[in-house]
Amino acid sequence: MEDWRKDARREPIIVDLDALVPKDHLLRKIENVMDYEWLYERLEPYYCHDNGRPGTDPVVLIKMVLLQHLFSIPSLRQTYQRIQDTLSYRWFLGYGLLDEIPHFATVSYAFCKRFPDELTTEIFEHILNKALNNRMVDPSVIFIDGTHIKASANKKKYRKEQVAKAAKVYSGQLRREVNEEREKLGKKPIEDEDHPQGGGGETVEKTVSTTDPDCGMFVKGEHERQFAYEAHTACDKRGFVLGVEVTAGNVHDSVAWDKVYDNVTSKFEVQFVTMDAGYKTPWIAKKTIEDNKIPILPYTRYTGKKDCYKPWEYTYDPANDTYTCPQGGILRHTTTDRDGKRTYRSIPAQCRDCPCKAKCGANEKGQKLFTTHVWQEYLDLVEQIRKTDCGKELYAQRKETIERVFADAKEKHAMRYTHHRGLAAVTQWVRLKFAAMNLKKLANWSWKNSFSRFIFVYCFLNCKKTPAFVT
């Protein structure tokens, strides 16, 4: 009879847990680059050492959350279950084979009730600073974009609400410039309407989830309607996430852009800002250029009538502030509205008998109206930058940088949907996701660099010098 191998599952053995974890395991690499002393000092005021039951090590609780995000585990409950029988996870926490793992409810309570709200931001910035100190981050070129995260909300349970229209960040500056132009044209200035919401008293209808009121209804292209959040993210050309701002899924990219941009540019020396077509607005172009940054934006297709004259076929005369149509007609600047739109009109007698009146788009009175924005010159500069070789090269890197970050976050780190509810909870969850991704990249690159240095030193010390013969 064949002598099969005996069952060794109950065989007692004396072994060091450290010997069972591979030397090139990701968690070993992370332990080599991370330090946790600052966490003990930061969380010291939130623990009482002379009263009550002994508390759980706060670093262990934070490590359990990092394990969840590093290895794409959907929930803390499943993270707790996997730690029970995964040797590398126990080694990472500093626990032995028979030690009792902290319950997942303890971890959840600590982040919801005990730890400060800004702790996740501090963890994210601490990891990013480590990468920066190791010269792994190159913030000279940043890439900004947003990705939607499906919310934990039933899309059939909602109500319609009339909410005040939010004021734009640049509304005050735009109003001042508009009134200056209206004063030159002899028009009355537009008064600042005093409303508590700052939106001019206008209201819009909003679909609000009864399950999670903080999320927003997301409808885009052929996608189905669903409640979602959006993570507006900035990264460098090496894939390190530099900043993130989480909003409801129905907030446009250009609305949330200011917070992400200000957050990143206030901390790093940025030279180029690469964005997609959703950010191609006059305000974003103006603010970026005035901050001595170079915006990289794509080509946007013309959406007007195909059988009419295109806007670029009109010639602008800055001395007289007029436009000349392809047939030689003069369009004078007549007014500027509260949205910053300049209106240029032609003289009816001049266009009434024009043979190209239909192609020009003149009205029944024979008058042509042409509109531009007060910050149109910044968009014209963006178009010139787009056509340069540098602009084309940097925009092509979006698929290798910010789009790759979103793909890895959803495919490898379970960020397609969230079980958390509320904007604050989802923001902390997203920030920890990106902190784990930065930590993973930092650990792997540090290990490769140290391994390469070891190979170089080994080869240098063991190589024999070849004698040189003189002929």
Side-chain angles (χ1 to χ4, degrees):
M1 183 177 179
E2 191 73 27
D3 186 16
W4 299 109
R5 183 179 180 276
K6 66 176 182 178
D7 187 357
R9 285 179 288 186
R10 293 185 178 273
E11 180 180 342
I13 184 173
I14 300 176
V15 67
D16 182 8
L17 181 60
D18 185 75
L20 300 177
V21 181
K23 298 299 181 183
D24 59 347
H25 197 281
L26 174 61
L27 296 179
R28 280 192 181 273
K29 302 174 186 177
I30 291 175
E31 283 293 278
N32 290 334
V33 298
M34 279 297 289
D35 62 290
Y36 306 102
E37 292 301 323
W38 71 275
L39 285 171
Y40 289 115
E41 297 177 2
R42 177 68 177 87
L43 300 174
E44 179 73 21
Y46 300 92
Y47 284 85
C48 182
H49 299 285
D50 57 0
N51 189 20
R53 295 179 300 173
T56 306
D57 189 340
V59 171
V60 172
L61 303 180
I62 294 172
K63 282 185 175 182
M64 290 180 67
V65 175
L66 287 177
L67 284 174
Q68 176 192 356
H69 296 298
L70 283 169
F71 296 98
S72 185
I73 305 175
S75 65
L76 281 173
R77 184 188 297 267
Q78 293 188 32
T79 305
Y80 169 76
Q81 294 172 353
R82 295 192 189 182
I83 293 174
Q84 300 286 348
D85 55 7
T86 306
L87 298 178
S88 58
Y89 293 0
R90 283 181 169 270
W91 177 89
F92 182 64
L93 298 180
Y95 279 58
L97 291 173
L98 302 180
D99 291 337
E100 184 179 357
I101 305 300
H103 197 264
F104 59 85
T106 305
V107 184
S108 179
Y109 180 85
F111 276 88
C112 293
K113 301 292 184 180
R114 183 185 296 273
F115 295 163
D117 296 336
E118 60 272 12
L119 180 63
T120 54
T121 304
E122 293 172 3
I123 293 173
F124 174 84
E125 292 179 350
H126 180 80
I127 295 172
L128 186 59
N129 286 334
K130 278 190 168 294
L132 193 64
N133 294 336
N134 285 275
R135 300 182 179 180
M136 296 180 183
V137 179
D138 183 6
S140 60
V141 182
I142 64 171
F143 300 83
I144 299 178
D145 203 355
T147 185
H148 284 86
I149 305 167
K150 188 175 181 180
S152 177
N154 190 338
K155 63 182 179 181
K156 297 182 180 179
K157 295 183 178 180
Y158 62 88
R159 64 178 182 272
K160 297 288 186 178
E161 288 185 359
Q162 291 290 332
V163 297
K165 191 174 181 180
K168 297 177 180 179
V169 176
Y170 55 87
S171 58
Q173 183 176 352
L174 178 62
R175 184 66 53 84
R176 288 191 295 271
E177 295 191 21
V178 167
N179 285 336
E180 289 177 3
E181 288 199 356
R182 292 179 65 87
E183 184 178 356
K184 293 178 182 179
L185 295 172
K187 303 288 184 180
K188 292 182 179 180
I190 298 174
E191 300 294 335
D192 293 331
E193 299 177 354
D194 188 14
H195 291 275
Q197 298 296 332
E202 301 179 7
T203 60
V204 293
E205 188 178 64
K206 182 181 178 182
T207 304
V208 180
S209 170
T210 56
T211 309
D212 183 3
D214 288 346
C215 63
M217 181 64 77
F218 166 56
V219 184
K220 183 178 180 181
E222 299 179 356
H223 293 259
E224 64 174 1
R225 297 169 61 90
Q226 64 181 22
F227 287 108
Y229 288 93
E230 185 169 5
H232 307 271
T233 312
C235 76
D236 72 337
K237 62 182 180 181
R238 295 174 180 172
F240 280 94
V241 178
L242 305 179
V244 61
E245 181 72 23
V246 180
T247 64
N250 54 2
V251 176
H252 195 267
D253 291 345
S254 60
V255 176
W257 175 84
D258 288 271
K259 289 186 177 180
V260 180
Y261 173 83
D262 293 338
N263 180 31
V264 175
T265 54
S266 63
K267 299 176 182 177
F268 305 100
E269 293 292 333
V270 179
Q271 184 178 0
F272 297 92
V273 184
T274 307
M275 302 161 282
D276 66 2
Y279 300 92
K280 197 172 184 180
T281 64
W283 164 248
I284 291 178
K286 170 184 169 62
K287 183 174 181 179
T288 309
I289 292 174
E290 288 186 346
D291 288 348
N292 296 322
K293 311 290 189 299
I294 302 177
I296 306 296
L297 291 159
Y299 164 77
T300 50
R301 184 177 299 176
Y302 175 66
T303 57
K305 295 182 180 180
K306 296 182 179 179
D307 55 347
C308 294
Y309 288 128
K310 308 299 187 296
W312 55 85
E313 294 179 328
Y314 291 80
T315 305
Y316 180 64
D317 181 9
N320 300 316
D321 192 17
T322 59
Y323 274 92
T324 305
C325 75
Q327 296 299 319
I330 304 299
L331 286 78
R332 298 176 296 104
H333 185 191
T334 57
T335 186
T336 304
D337 64 12
R338 65 174 62 247
D339 294 326
K341 294 293 183 66
R342 292 171 175 165
T343 302
Y344 294 82
R345 290 184 172 91
S346 64
I347 301 175
Q350 180 181 351
C351 299
R352 188 176 294 116
D353 298 329
C354 179
C356 299
K357 185 172 64 174
K359 188 174 181 180
C360 179
N363 56 22
E364 296 178 354
K365 297 179 181 180
Q367 190 176 48
K368 166 65 180 175
L369 273 69
F370 184 80
T371 60
T372 63
H373 200 274
V374 293
W375 296 330
Q376 182 64 38
E377 61 269 21
Y378 296 99
L379 287 177
D380 295 338
L381 285 174
V382 166
E383 281 298 305
Q384 296 177 17
I385 296 171
R386 176 185 67 82
K387 298 176 182 179
T388 62
D389 293 337
C390 179
K392 295 176 182 178
E393 180 183 354
L394 289 178
Y395 189 78
Q397 293 178 9
R398 287 186 69 255
K399 61 179 179 295
E400 306 166 3
T401 52
I402 189 68
E403 297 293 348
R404 178 64 182 271
V405 168
F406 293 153
D408 286 346
K410 294 187 175 183
E411 290 293 328
K412 300 179 180 179
H413 297 274
M415 209 179 78
R416 289 194 178 277
Y417 58 89
T418 177
H419 294 295
H420 295 268
R421 291 176 181 171
L423 183 61
V426 175
T427 299
Q428 293 183 2
W429 180 79
V430 171
R431 196 162 278 129
L432 285 171
K433 286 280 185 197
F434 287 138
M437 292 175 62
N438 285 347
L439 178 59
K440 182 178 178 181
K441 191 183 293 290
L442 168 64
N444 283 327
W445 287 15
S446 297
W447 183 81
K448 288 180 180 178
N449 292 339
S450 62
F451 185 75
S452 300
R453 286 194 296 268
F454 172 78
I455 295 297
F456 174 78
V457 172
Y458 178 82
C459 295
F460 179 79
L461 295 177
N462 290 276
C463 67
K464 295 182 180 180
K465 293 183 178 180
T466 304
F469 296 95
V470 179
T471 58

